[in-house]
Amino acid sequence: MDEFSIIQQYFNVVPQRRDDVVFGIGDDAASVRVPSDKELLISTDTLVSNVHFLPEWDAYDIACKAVLVNVSDIAAMAATPCWATLALTLPNVNEDWLASFARGIHDSLAQYEIDLIGGDTTCGPLSMTLTLLGVAPVGKSIRRNGARPGDVILVTGQLGAASLAVSLLKAHNVPKDDKILLMDKLLHPNPRVDFSALLQRFATSAIDISDGLSADLSHICSASRVGATLARDAIPLHPLLPIYLKDKAVDMALTGGDDYELCFTLPPHYLGEFLAIAEQQGLVCYTIGMIDKAPGLRLTYPDGQCVTYEPKGYSHF
Ligand code: ADP
Ligand code: MG
């Protein structure tokens, strides 16, 4: 099977859903229409075999993950994902693998009404790069650099399950139900596009938690030239963390990656209104701390003790 048959058989198979696609797969470039009141957001993430996933995982799951981590980046900008391109590098042609993989790509793109408009197919060590293009009203996308001293810091969900799943990959004594639940968190993150409209309206900065809360919040702090203090007890832990990790649970929630929840900041006078609207919309989020002038990250304990926390998270090099 050559490159062109792979594209035709597995990727150029879904009828175009969006009427803003002028043309998609088949030309040297795709063309889309961006309305004049919208700005275009572009994000790329690569998944490499044995780094981001194990080659023995189900190809369907690997494909979903490649889409979902990119959707999360667009969600972190408070934007709406619209179009995707896929650069796929395969060591060989395994048609069963390709069929599952393509199904995972098409299903997860369909879930967010994203059209696959192009890509590249090459031979080499297994990896995939998805580029996702999204839109937000002009001037309304949210960056990392807008946090101000006094802003409150929130996260959109419980943390640590995905990294707990990684740490238990080789463990044999984990009950089956826990393993299934944790692997689902690792393989099928839930990118928080549901927060986009609220973030556009209220947030001063946002980031998705891909490398761990402490590392990702530090990116907000550096970009905004501020620091942050978190209430240790307010950090929402996935309920399995304390069971498996006891007093190390908070540390994993602070340093573990792959959760793909959002961390964002709000001016304090908006907090009440924000939480009220979120609740009306059935969106849960947690207030975990405050931005301050002094650089660095600090943790406060219930007894009032405040300690410096060295941010740790995943880094490739
Ligand atoms: P070129 O030789 O001009 O780079 P290709 O032969 O690589 O073009 O690709 C042919 C068409 O198929 C292009 O429109 C490209 O965007 C698309 N394409 C290639 N690989 C993929 C893929 N894995 N998924 C989706 N579209 C793809
Ligand atoms: Mg090409």
Side-chain angles (χ1 to χ4, degrees), residues 76-78 140-144 199-206:
M77 302 300 293
K140 293 290 181 186
S141 59
I142 302 297
R143 302 182 56 190
R144 300 176 178 185
L199 294 182
Q200 284 172 14
R201 197 164 149 201
F202 295 105
T204 49
S205 71

Side-chain angles (χ1 to χ4, degrees), residues 3-4 7 11 24-28 86 88 116-121:
E3 179 192 333
F4 306 103
I7 298 165
F11 297 107
I25 297 174
D27 273 272
D28 290 315
L86 168 68
L88 178 62
L116 182 64
I117 56 168
D120 200 19
T121 305

Side-chain angles (χ1 to χ4, degrees), residues 225-237:
R225 299 166 185 269
V226 292
T229 303
L230 297 179
R232 194 177 186 277
D233 273 18
I235 295 167
L237 308 179

Side-chain angles (χ1 to χ4, degrees), residues 112-181:
Y112 297 92
E113 293 171 15
I114 303 166
D115 271 10
L116 182 64
I117 56 168
D120 200 19
T121 305
T122 52
C123 184
L126 181 61
S127 83
M128 59 225 54
T129 297
L130 212 106
T131 296
L132 196 52
L133 301 104
V135 297
V138 168
K140 293 290 181 186
S141 59
I142 302 297
R143 302 182 56 190
R144 300 176 178 185
N145 64 0
R148 297 290 169 259
D151 283 359
V152 284
I153 305 167
L154 297 95
V155 289
T156 55
Q158 295 169 333
L159 304 176
S163 52
L164 180 60
V166 172
S167 75
L168 296 177
L169 274 177
K170 295 200 176 85
H172 295 295
N173 53 351
V174 180
K176 200 167 160 222
D177 286 353
D178 288 2
K179 194 119 192 177
I180 291 171
L181 196 151

Side-chain angles (χ1 to χ4, degrees), residues 20-263:
D20 50 15
V21 177
V22 184
F23 45 83
I25 297 174
D27 273 272
D28 290 315
S31 170
V32 297
R33 260 184 296 266
V34 181
S36 58
D37 59 342
K38 297 274 165 57
E39 61 189 42
L40 180 65
L41 287 292
I42 304 148
S43 165
T44 295
D45 252 324
T46 296
L47 265 61
V48 177
S49 183
N50 280 314
V51 177
H52 300 92
F53 62 88
L54 298 178
E56 59 267 27
W57 287 1
D58 193 326
Y60 185 91
D61 292 333
I62 297 171
C64 291
K65 181 134 186 173
V67 171
L68 298 174
V69 299
N70 274 280
V71 173
S72 177
D73 280 324
I74 294 289
M77 302 300 293
T80 306
C82 302
W83 313 285
T85 64
L86 168 68
L88 178 62
T89 304
L90 299 169
N92 50 39
V93 177
N94 171 336
E95 295 202 36
D96 289 340
W97 191 95
L98 263 170
S100 293
F101 180 81
R103 211 161 37 80
I105 292 285
H106 297 306
D107 284 358
S108 41
L109 289 177
Q111 199 185 334
Y112 297 92
E113 293 171 15
I114 303 166
D115 271 10
L116 182 64
I117 56 168
D120 200 19
T121 305
T122 52
C123 184
L126 181 61
S127 83
M128 59 225 54
T129 297
L130 212 106
T131 296
L132 196 52
L133 301 104
V135 297
V138 168
K140 293 290 181 186
S141 59
I142 302 297
R143 302 182 56 190
R144 300 176 178 185
N145 64 0
R148 297 290 169 259
D151 283 359
V152 284
I153 305 167
L154 297 95
V155 289
T156 55
Q158 295 169 333
L159 304 176
S163 52
L164 180 60
V166 172
S167 75
L168 296 177
L169 274 177
K170 295 200 176 85
H172 295 295
N173 53 351
V174 180
K176 200 167 160 222
D177 286 353
D178 288 2
K179 194 119 192 177
I180 291 171
L181 196 151
L182 289 170
M183 284 308 288
D184 187 55
K185 286 279 184 190
L186 179 63
L187 296 172
H188 302 283
N190 175 26
R192 305 311 304 264
V193 284
D194 45 357
F195 272 88
S196 291
L198 268 177
L199 294 182
Q200 284 172 14
R201 197 164 149 201
F202 295 105
T204 49
S205 71
I207 193 165
D208 71 327
I209 306 177
S210 51
D211 297 331
L213 173 63
S214 64
D216 289 317
L217 177 57
S218 296
H219 296 320
I220 285 186
C221 289
S222 321
S224 304
R225 299 166 185 269
V226 292
T229 303
L230 297 179
R232 194 177 186 277
D233 273 18
I235 295 167
L237 308 179
H238 187 275
L240 288 179
L241 255 69
I243 296 173
Y244 282 89
L245 300 168
K246 309 283 185 299
D247 57 347
K248 303 261 183 334
V250 176
D251 224 40
M252 183 165 274
L254 279 163
T255 59
D258 271 340
D259 283 320
Y260 299 100
E261 295 293 341
L262 301 180
C263 174

